[in-house]
Amino acid sequence: MGDSSREDASNTLRVLVATDCHLGYMEKDEIRRFDSFQAFEEICSIAEQKKNDLDSASDLSF
């Protein structure tokens, strides 16, 4: 028998779904103006760390 953990990993599709990424939301608010961009950068960083096969940003608004 083969290594089942290695076989399981090779048959796994890693997907990251981020929804309602309203980039620039509250841009006129001095305190919250960069919140949406920082959150999106964090999402991208996590996707890169986890080596996702597919990333989906649903309802990406500017």
Side-chain angles (χ1 to χ4, degrees), residues 15-62:
V15 178
L16 180 133
V17 177
T19 63
D20 296 315
C21 300
H22 298 279
L23 297 178
Y25 177 72
M26 300 285 289
E27 66 184 28
K28 295 182 181 179
D29 183 305
E30 279 298 316
I31 295 172
R32 297 182 61 195
R33 91 173 350 157
F34 298 113
D35 287 358
S36 61
F37 293 103
Q38 290 171 342
F40 189 71
E41 286 179 8
E42 186 175 345
I43 290 166
C44 293
S45 176
I46 291 169
E48 185 177 352
Q49 289 172 8
K50 300 293 184 179
K51 296 180 174 46
N52 287 0
D53 298 309
L54 176 66
D55 302 324
S56 174
S58 174
D59 192 20
L60 185 61
S61 301
F62 297 94

